[in-house]
């Protein structure tokens, strides 16, 4: 009988209580020196490795642990350094400057990792001189060996790395060929150090344009085979289906396939005989992207099937566990719900249960997990009634008519200025919230503190000279988690953190039942802010598509049903704000692009349903009420028509890190709705200059009607320090004032 092996693709870097984040931010704030930072991260890496070893994995990944981002690690390994940062030593401070920017230079672009909620640092090839720098991957592999951990190195492959890059005069093939000798040297060093196999991640091979890369992919892996590496390479894919006939032709030890998010295509290809039985099949059968416990009986049946088509089977998660929290151990959840959950360590336990069942005929753990799954499925958290037909899904009037009514009501100046919504979540803000949640201060004391912060920041905004203000969102821990705490059908964890980008961690709520709005969510703070000023204060909400995409979603209902439930709840809040006289309401959808399926055949359906949900949430207001929305770092060309179809009165979009390239997306469409393009990067502590802001505005006005244009930062300001925010916003307002004066002078 075949022995079933188990493996993992990657483990969360954050630590159970965000130890990774705290150490890195401690170094940035100069509370830790570099040696202490390295020691703390080494301790956490060791903890992660030994934890995985406890679940009897046949092999444990190394190379997944990073100081910031695994793509940025690969850039530094191969000396793909942005031109503005070249000439410096390759060290941790350079890594952080590329990721975050510094006083002299802007940070590299930040883009979502395929269709996940993780964001990577984009490699830049302009005038780069590829070479092999310090081999950190070999160092980490040897460290795992010193702990008696049977490890396999993980590195992003040359096809995916180049696909995710930008810049440079070389063709795609030329870039890959430049890197191949460097990859070969790294792979050979790992082979010589004793690596049984090396996991080369090539998720680019699940995308629509993967066929365009087949020739260079074939050439690359034949090059590795000629160097004697054929029996040490596993090509790992995830997030979608592959062309298995092509991958099967490559000279490698094995293939890693996703059997969770592949729409069943990978399994059908295997059944059709497209997999070489003599290759090792690394089968991603446990969902690496969601927190629901596996249907362990169904996974057993899948293993039974897969054993018929390979002589060597390794079972593993469908993707790196980077995308889920570390452990349920520290949670205090209602048992009836907790039984249906599985975080990173619990997913390893599921793999171990299946391994024990097949290899040792030990069904104890398997039966426990099977019983838990069945108990959870029998819980009743649903079957509520909804009246979707009574809610409008289109605005009462066309935009031109609405704009006239809004202009008359709001009376805003040329090039109106505003922010995206949040202001700094200072240590004091976080402490007050924690004290309130842990009953160390009263509701009255907490509300008094919030009111003081709101009043202070309303005055700061007025002093700076912004035209449309916000209350600052000091009561909110996160733009999605906040709503998860207040809407029926959501569960919020205590330590369910996942990495979004760099040290930024979010705690996605879990949608376990039908969603309902029960009471006002944001009205109190918004109304208080509005009472302090004659300028309009925006109501700030998160949209249904983003709430769904940034939550751990239900898998027992179609996505669109859950999304529309959320849309109805947001519609109730929109109307509650409007009924209290709030004139501008922003319903943010930063994750609309992030949820776009990787395969284009699913795009139209996804976008149509997303637009429907947004309009369900926002269309019931009067013409005079102005609806804003916001979207974060993404490539918008594919969805620009859907953005237009949202019919928001004003949309704000990031453009700072893309250095104006995003504006090109608007060249192919007549965008005659209000729009604000972010004119400086809030994810960097660097303060923009007036000339940079002015240049960004001028570039935008080449494609966008001035009467429709707003000026704002590219995202919320919660992660920045107060002095940075005040200085940067002052630069923004001063630049706009000069543009207004120069325009007025020119027309006199």
């Amino acid at each position: 009988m075949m022995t079933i092996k188990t493996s993992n693709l990657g483990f969360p870097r954050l630590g159970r209580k965000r130890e990774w984040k705290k150490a890195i931010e401690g170094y940035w704030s100069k509370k830790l020196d570099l040696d202490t930072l390295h020691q703390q991260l080494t301790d956490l890496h060791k903890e992660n490795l030994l934890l995985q070893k406890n679940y009897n994995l046949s092999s444990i990944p190394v190379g997944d642990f990073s100081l910031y981002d695994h793509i940025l690690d690969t850039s530094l390994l191969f000396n793909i350094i942005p031109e503005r940062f070249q000439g410096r030593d390759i060290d941790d401070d350079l890594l952080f400057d590329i990721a975050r920017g510094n006083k002299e230079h802007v940070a590299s672009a930040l883009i979502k990792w395929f269709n996940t909620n993780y964001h990577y640092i984009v490699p830049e090839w302009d005038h780069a001189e590829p070479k092999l720098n310090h081999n950190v991957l070999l160092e980490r592999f040897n460290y795992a060996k010193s702990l008696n951990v049977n490890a396999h190195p993980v590195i992003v492959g040359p096809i995916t790395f180049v696909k995710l890059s930008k810049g440079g005069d070389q063709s795609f093939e030329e870039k890959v060929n430049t890197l191949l000798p460097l990859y070969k040297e790294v792979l050979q060093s790992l082979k010589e150090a004793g690596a049984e196999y090396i996991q080369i991640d090539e998720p680019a091979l699940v995308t629509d344009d993967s066929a365009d890369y087949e020739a260079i992919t074939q050439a690359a892996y034949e090059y590795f085979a000629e160097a004697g590496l054929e029996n040490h390479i596993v090509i790992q894919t995830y997030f979608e289906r592959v062309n298995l006939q092509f991958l099967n032709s490559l000279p490698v030890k094995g293939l890693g396939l996703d059997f969770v998010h592949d729409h069943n295509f990978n399994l059908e290809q295997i059944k059709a005989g497209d997999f070489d039985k003599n290759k090792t099949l690394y089968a991603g059968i446990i969902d690496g992207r969601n927190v629901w416990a596996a249907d362990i009986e169904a996974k057993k049946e899948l293993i039974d099937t897969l054993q018929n088509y390979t002589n060597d089977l390794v079972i593993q998660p469908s993707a790196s566990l980077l995308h889920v929290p570390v452990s349920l151990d520290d949670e205090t959840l209602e048992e009836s719900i907790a039984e249906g959950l599985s975080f990173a360590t619990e997913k390893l336990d599921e793999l171990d249960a299946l391994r024990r069942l097949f290899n040792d005929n030990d069904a104890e753990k398997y039966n426990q997990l099977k019983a838990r799954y069945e108990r959870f499925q029998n819980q009743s958290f649903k079957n509520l009634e909804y009246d979707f037909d009574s809610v409008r899904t289109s605005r009462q009037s066309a935009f031109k008519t609405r704009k006239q009514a809004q202009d008359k009501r709001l009376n805003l100046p040329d090039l109106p200025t505003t922010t995206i919504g949040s202001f700094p979540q200072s240590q004091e803000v976080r402490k007050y919230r924690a004290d309130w949640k842990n009953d160390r201060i009263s509701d009255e004391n907490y509300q008094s503190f919030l009111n003081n912060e709101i009043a202070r920041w309303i005055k700061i905004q007025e002093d700076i000279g912004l035209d449309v203000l916000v209350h600052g969102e000091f009561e909110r821990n996160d733009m999605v988690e906040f709503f998860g705490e207040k809407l029926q059908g959501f569960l919020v964890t205590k330590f369910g953190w996942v990495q979004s980008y760099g040290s930024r961690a979010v705690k996605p709520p879990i949608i376990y039942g039908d969603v309902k709005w029960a009471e006002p969510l944001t009205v109190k703070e918004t109304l208080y802010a509005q009472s302090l000023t004659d300028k309009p204060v925006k109501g700030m909400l998160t949209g249904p598509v983003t709430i769904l995409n940034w939550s751990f979603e239900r898998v027992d209902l179609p996505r669109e049903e859950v999304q529309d439930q959320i849309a109805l709840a947001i519609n109730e809040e929109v109307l509650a704000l409007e009924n209290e006289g709030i004139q501008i309401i922003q319903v943010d959808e930063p994750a609309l692009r992030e949820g776009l399926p990787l395969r284009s055949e699913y795009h139209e359906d996804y976008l149509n349903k997303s637009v429907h949900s947004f309009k369900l949430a926002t269309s019931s207001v009067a013409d005079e009420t102005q609806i804003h929305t916001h979207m974060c770092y993404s490539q918008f060309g594919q969805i620009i028509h859907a953005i237009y179809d949202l019919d928001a009165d004003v949309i704000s979009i990031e453009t700072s890190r893309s250095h104006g390239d995003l504006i090109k997306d608007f060249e192919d469409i007549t965008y005659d709705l209000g729009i604000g393009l972010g004119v400086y990067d809030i994810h960097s502590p660097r303060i923009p200059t007036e000339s940079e802001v002015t240049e960004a505005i001028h570039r935008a006005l080449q494609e966008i009607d001035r009467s429709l244009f707003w000026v704002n930062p590219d995202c919320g300001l919660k992660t920045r320090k107060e002095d940075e925010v005040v200085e940067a916003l002052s630069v923004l307002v001063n630049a706009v004032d000069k543009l207004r004066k120069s325009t007025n002078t020119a027309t006199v």
Side-chain angles (χ1 to χ4, degrees), residues 482-493:
F482 172 80
F483 291 93
E485 290 175 331
K486 293 177 174 289
L487 292 173
Q488 181 177 318
F490 282 81
L491 167 73
V492 173
T493 61

Side-chain angles (χ1 to χ4, degrees), residues 652-691:
S652 57
I653 301 180
E654 175 275 339
T655 188
S656 60
R657 282 209 181 189
S658 60
H659 312 302
D661 293 343
L662 180 63
I663 298 168
K664 295 176 183 177
D665 292 336
F666 290 88
E667 295 174 355
D668 298 326
I669 186 174
T670 302
Y671 197 91
D672 53 3
L673 303 169
I675 184 166
L677 297 184
V679 295
Y680 79 88
D681 176 20
I682 67 88
H683 295 87
S684 168
R686 181 179 176 274
I687 305 300
T689 65
E690 278 191 27
S691 62

Side-chain angles (χ1 to χ4, degrees), residues 508-570:
I510 298 167
I511 308 174
Y512 70 90
D514 284 340
V515 178
K516 278 280 190 178
W517 181 91
E519 60 184 0
L521 314 175
T522 66
V523 172
K524 180 171 60 177
E525 288 80 13
T526 308
L527 280 183
Y528 177 69
Q530 186 63 81
S531 73
L532 302 172
T533 180
D534 293 330
K535 291 186 174 183
V537 173
K538 288 191 288 189
M540 298 300 308
L541 306 176
T542 304
V545 181
T546 295
I547 289 178
L548 181 64
N549 282 336
W550 286 357
S551 299
F552 291 117
E553 66 192 69
R554 286 169 68 171
V555 292
D556 62 324
L557 280 182
R559 281 177 55 90
E560 61 266 23
E561 289 188 30
V562 182
Q563 192 167 270
D564 282 353
Q565 289 179 7
I566 300 169
L568 278 189
I570 297 303

Side-chain angles (χ1 to χ4, degrees), residues 353-364:
L354 290 164
R355 181 195 65 82
R356 291 172 185 266
L357 177 69
F358 279 90
N359 295 348
D360 306 326
N361 199 28
D362 177 0
E364 181 179 0

Side-chain angles (χ1 to χ4, degrees), residues 401-616:
T401 301
R402 303 196 310 261
K403 187 175 188 306
Q404 289 176 354
Q406 292 163 17
D407 287 349
K408 182 178 180 181
R409 184 186 192 191
L410 295 169
N411 193 30
L412 296 172
D414 175 43
L415 299 175
T417 58
T418 189
T419 65
I420 301 306
S422 59
F423 279 126
Q425 295 269 316
S426 65
Q427 186 173 355
E428 185 182 24
V429 169
R430 294 194 297 270
K431 182 180 185 304
Y432 263 89
R433 186 187 304 123
D435 286 347
W436 174 66
K437 285 191 172 184
N438 290 286
D439 296 322
R440 292 191 288 265
I441 61 173
S442 67
D443 292 349
E444 293 76 15
N445 285 342
Y446 182 54
Q447 191 61 54
S448 176
F449 170 76
L450 291 177
N451 287 348
N452 289 338
E453 282 296 288
I454 291 170
R456 191 167 68 85
W457 275 95
I458 289 292
K459 186 175 188 309
I460 290 172
Q461 292 173 84
E462 289 189 318
D463 290 345
I464 290 171
L466 290 164
D467 301 309
V468 174
L469 314 186
V470 295
H471 80 278
E473 303 180 20
F474 304 107
E475 78 283 7
R476 306 184 192 183
N477 40 20
D478 176 81
M479 65 181 297
V480 172
E481 184 183 0
F482 172 80
F483 291 93
E485 290 175 331
K486 293 177 174 289
L487 292 173
Q488 181 177 318
F490 282 81
L491 167 73
V492 173
T493 61
K494 190 173 183 181
F495 297 107
W497 299 97
V498 294
Q499 185 182 5
S500 174
Y501 66 87
S503 68
R504 168 77 168 135
V506 295
K507 190 146 56 73
I510 298 167
I511 308 174
Y512 70 90
D514 284 340
V515 178
K516 278 280 190 178
W517 181 91
E519 60 184 0
L521 314 175
T522 66
V523 172
K524 180 171 60 177
E525 288 80 13
T526 308
L527 280 183
Y528 177 69
Q530 186 63 81
S531 73
L532 302 172
T533 180
D534 293 330
K535 291 186 174 183
V537 173
K538 288 191 288 189
M540 298 300 308
L541 306 176
T542 304
V545 181
T546 295
I547 289 178
L548 181 64
N549 282 336
W550 286 357
S551 299
F552 291 117
E553 66 192 69
R554 286 169 68 171
V555 292
D556 62 324
L557 280 182
R559 281 177 55 90
E560 61 266 23
E561 289 188 30
V562 182
Q563 192 167 270
D564 282 353
Q565 289 179 7
I566 300 169
L568 278 189
I570 297 303
N571 174 68
E572 294 277 6
E573 186 68 10
V574 166
L575 293 177
L577 288 165
E578 183 185 49
N579 289 339
E580 293 292 346
I582 299 303
Q583 304 170 49
I584 302 177
I585 302 170
Q586 184 168 309
V587 182
D588 288 344
E589 288 290 16
L592 188 146
R593 172 61 180 81
E594 290 190 2
L596 192 70
L598 292 177
R599 294 282 184 173
S600 60
E601 65 199 83
Y602 307 118
H603 287 185
E604 183 177 4
D605 181 65
Y606 167 82
L607 291 172
N608 286 341
K609 289 169 178 173
S610 297
V611 168
H612 172 80
S613 293
F614 181 84
K615 296 176 81 170
L616 186 66

Side-chain angles (χ1 to χ4, degrees), residues 17-33:
K17 296 184 178 178
R18 296 180 295 164
E19 294 89 345
W20 182 86
K21 168 189 174 71
K22 293 170 185 174
I24 290 172
E25 292 183 353
Y27 176 69
W28 292 343
S29 63
K30 303 188 185 305
K31 295 176 183 176
L32 299 181
D33 60 26

Side-chain angles (χ1 to χ4, degrees), residues 328-347:
L328 279 166
D329 285 350
D330 299 309
E331 302 293 341
T332 53
L333 304 173
E334 183 180 332
E335 185 176 2
S336 60
I337 301 175
E339 285 198 319
L341 298 176
S342 176
F343 290 178
T345 52
E346 288 76 30
K347 292 180 186 300

